């Protein structure tokens, strides 16, 4: 049974359709990732699910509670960590936790047990007495998560929790999310990092307020229209110029010393591209099909919709 | 070598805390130079000293030959600075924000209007020009902040996490812009937490706890700093397998990397044994093969090695 469910949920701001008829189901125990271009409606959808915004149409239930009919009851069962979580810099880590526990009317005994357990699991115990403003970025992020969990919610919503977080802290944060998930928590997280989405049980791709794809990462990769060729060639700038304008190439990305090229069929394109590069005086070190990443899937989906010019992302969303 | 940006023994103390500790580097004109490091490592403090908005406790910061401490106004006139928390006016529209910054830079009349129009188009902001800056999503806010920072075509640009929160397609487009700046001769110093972006830099430096711990081109850094070899392990279920990989005696370090696990080992021949160990525990192993380390592998290895040193 779905623990998060929306039907035809819609929210307009003036003439912008921020969320435009989304049907979503997340089962108990999933880690669900929400991805999509800037302004696709991810934050609005999360806020609707948490009862912080009223939809113009549609329904939303979380942990069996109708969010519209009883937002207070829904909020007791869910935790929401927004992009900018408010910690009080002049309170200690423990005082911040106590404040949030108070807002949710957590009984004193439960608070003692949970605060100790959360601070311990997040390796924050030595810093319990430190002012929040003196914690490092990664620690503040973990403290914000602890505050979000102090009322023991069944479903956790996180809005881009790792934006602006360094790679090491990002890994540590995800370790914690996996542990929480294994312990039974349902997690819905929006992220601009495709490698994070890659490791979730399912991924929803939003664009222009709609959910345009929703499946397990492997299934999304398998359904991708096109294949990826990885090219290592010298000189790289010349290789890039020739490939970018080749009729078989749908899109091209520079990744370090390699070029990743989206084509319709790798088997047919590989010999042709190799020949074209060599004819142009480019030394091809390697040219081989590689497994698409979720980022490839994302780009293929979105470029198929509207071309890859710089105006794309901004030119197609007005109602 | 001509130098656009130079730091020489640059140091900044806040009370007893040394935020930046004898940092030295040189950036050539037209270079895209990446500055990487954990949160709180000293990246933003270094940039603020280079921009002449924060005085160093010791050492020198120099931009286009001007000492940032003695001639901060000369430096400020020649740079664009996009900070992490950009001062956008949330109750002004996108266009009004740019008009405001045009005024700050002394651009007037037709020239100001043309520049603004050109940047609105180049950054895909045309459709949003009348939206209040406060209503923009994170990615659009970043684009507006970039436009405001480069409106006056400065020869040197400092970008502090310019792509934080942007979607993958926007990030690609953003980096095409940065490459374009560099091809036009603009010097770009950029910080990022996206290691795939770091691969786009001509050269870069890692900073940790105020000190530079590695610098060079991406290829040089990988060759010099990566101790051991990286095995890419494709296995299901991934998260559960990570614990097994981590505990394997041949593995020094393991981490999730996309839909796979990257394991750092001393001997690349350890692959088959690792695959067998996983299979014996009932995991579906699709493949274990040596791969070139990514900058992310290097970053994590460097920082974790220092954390272990600090703990010892």
């Amino acid at each position: 049974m779905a623990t998060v469910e929306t039907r035809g949920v819609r929210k307009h701001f003036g003439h912008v359709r921020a969320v435009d008829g989304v049907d979503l189901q997340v089962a108990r125990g999933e880690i669900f990732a929400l991805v999509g271009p800037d302004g696709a409606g991810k934050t609005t959808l999360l806020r609707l699910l948490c009862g912080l915004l009223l939809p113009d149409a549609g329904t939303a239930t979380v942990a069996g509670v109708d969010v519209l009919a009883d937002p207070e009851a829904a909020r007791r069962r869910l935790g929401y960590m927004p992009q900018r979580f408010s910690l009080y810099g002049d309170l200690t880590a423990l005082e911040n936790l106590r404040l949030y526990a108070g807002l949710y009317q957590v009984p004193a005994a439960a608070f003692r047990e949970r605060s100790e357990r959360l601070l311990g699991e997040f390796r924050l115990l030595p810093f319990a007495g430190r002012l929040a403003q003196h914690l490092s970025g990664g620690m503040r992020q973990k403290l914000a998560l602890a505050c979000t969990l102090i009322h023991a919610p069944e479903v956790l919503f996180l809005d881009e929790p790792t934006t602006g977080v360094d790679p090491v802290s990002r890994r540590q944060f995800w370790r914690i999310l996996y542990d929480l998930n294994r312990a039974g928590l349902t997690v819905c997280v929006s992220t601009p990092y495709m490698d994070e989405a890659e490791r979730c049980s399912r991924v929803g791709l939003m664009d222009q307020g709609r959910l345009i794809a929703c499946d397990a990462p492997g299934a999304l990769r398998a359904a991708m229209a096109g294949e990826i060729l990885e090219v290592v060639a010298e000189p790289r700038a010349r290789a890039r110029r020739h490939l970018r304008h080749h009729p078989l190439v749908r899109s091209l990305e520079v990744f370090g010393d390699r070029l990743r090229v989206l084509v319709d069929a790798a088997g047919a394109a590989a010999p042709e591209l190799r020949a074209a590069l060599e004819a142009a005086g480019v030394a091809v070190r390697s040219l081989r099909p590689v497994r698409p990443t979720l980022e490839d899937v994302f780009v293929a989906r979105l470029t198929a919709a509207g071309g890859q010019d710089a105006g794309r992302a901004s030119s197609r969303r007005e109602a | 070598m001509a130098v656009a940006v130079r730091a020489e023994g640059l140091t900044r103390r806040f009370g007893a805390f040394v935020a930046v500790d004898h940092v030295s580097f040189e950036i050539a004109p037209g270079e895209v130079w990446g500055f990487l490091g954990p949160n709180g490592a000293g990246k933003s403090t270094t940039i603020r000293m280079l921009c002449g908005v924060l005085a160093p406790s010791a050492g020198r910061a120099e931009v286009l030959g001007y000492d940032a401490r003695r001639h901060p106004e000369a430096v400020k006139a020649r740079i664009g600075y996009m900070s992490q928390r950009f001062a956008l006016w949330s109750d002004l529209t996108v266009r009004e924000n740019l008009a405001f910054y045009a005024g700050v830079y002394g651009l007037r009349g037709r020239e100001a209007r043309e520049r603004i129009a050109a940047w609105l188009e180049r950054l895909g902001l045309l459709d949003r020009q009348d939206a209040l800056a406060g209503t923009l999503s994170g990615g659009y806010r970043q684009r507006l902040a970039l436009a405001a920072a480069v409106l006056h075509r400065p020869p040197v640009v400092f970008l502090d996490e310019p792509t934080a929160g942007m979607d993958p397609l926007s990030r690609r487009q953003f980096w095409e812009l940065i490459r374009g700046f560099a091809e036009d001769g603009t010097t770009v110093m950029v910080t990022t937490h996206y290691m795939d972006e770091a691969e786009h830099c001509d050269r870069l430096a890692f900073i940790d706890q105020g000190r530079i711990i590695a610098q060079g081109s991406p290829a040089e850094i990988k060759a010099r700093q990566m101790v051991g070899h990286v095995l890419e392990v494709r296995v299901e279920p991934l998260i559960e397998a990570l614990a097994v990989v981590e505990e394997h005696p041949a593995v020094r370090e393991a981490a999730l990397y996309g839909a796979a696990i990257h394991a750092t080992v001393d001997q690349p021949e350890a692959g088959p044994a690792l695959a067998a160990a996983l299979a014996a525990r009932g995991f579906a192993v699709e493949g274990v093969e040596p791969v070139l380390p990514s900058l992310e592998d290097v970053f994590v290895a460097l920082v974790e090695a220092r954390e272990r040193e600090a703990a010892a």
Side-chain angles (χ1 to χ4, degrees), chain A residues 95-273:
Chain A
E95 286 165 349
N96 270 285
L97 270 177
R98 187 174 292 129
L99 177 74
Y100 279 90
L103 295 177
Y104 285 102
Q105 294 161 339
V106 175
F111 170 73
R112 271 195 302 278
E113 182 272 318
R114 280 180 209 157
S115 57
E116 205 150 296
R117 181 169 48 77
L118 288 168
L119 290 173
E121 281 171 8
F122 298 180
R123 297 192 193 167
L124 288 172
L125 265 184
F127 310 102
R130 190 180 285 191
L131 294 184
Q133 67 199 13
H134 294 152
L135 295 174
S136 73
M139 286 184 204
R140 267 202 301 271
Q141 202 68 349
K142 288 192 281 186
L143 177 58
L145 181 59
C147 290
T148 307
L149 294 171
I150 197 70
H151 61 297
E154 295 167 47
V155 184
L156 175 63
F157 296 97
L158 307 111
D159 197 2
E160 298 197 4
T162 54
T163 291
V165 174
D166 71 72
V168 175
S169 306
R170 193 159 76 89
R171 287 183 179 192
Q172 290 169 354
F173 193 84
W174 270 91
R175 280 277 168 106
I176 290 175
L177 286 187
Y178 295 132
D179 288 344
L180 291 167
N181 178 247
R182 259 204 303 270
L185 190 69
T186 305
V187 179
C188 295
V189 55
S190 74
T191 179
Y193 285 94
M194 290 300 120
D195 63 328
E196 295 179 354
E198 194 104 49
R199 305 189 288 259
C200 292
S201 56
R202 282 190 311 138
V203 179
L205 172 56
M206 277 190 87
D207 189 26
Q208 301 179 75
R210 293 175 186 221
L211 199 60
I212 61 170
C214 186
D215 213 330
L220 286 174
R221 272 198 300 272
M224 187 176 113
E227 294 176 285
I228 303 291
L229 285 170
E230 186 188 87
V231 183
V232 183
E234 287 290 331
R236 199 178 72 193
R238 193 185 299 169
R240 187 174 152 200
R241 261 200 319 277
H242 280 275
L243 288 175
R244 173 153 291 154
H245 299 298
H246 196 283
L248 290 179
V249 172
R250 275 174 54 195
S251 122
L252 177 148
E253 187 211 3
V254 183
F255 190 87
D257 54 356
R258 288 159 287 165
L259 303 170
R260 290 172 66 91
V261 178
L262 174 65
V263 295
D264 287 325
E272 270 203 51
L273 294 183

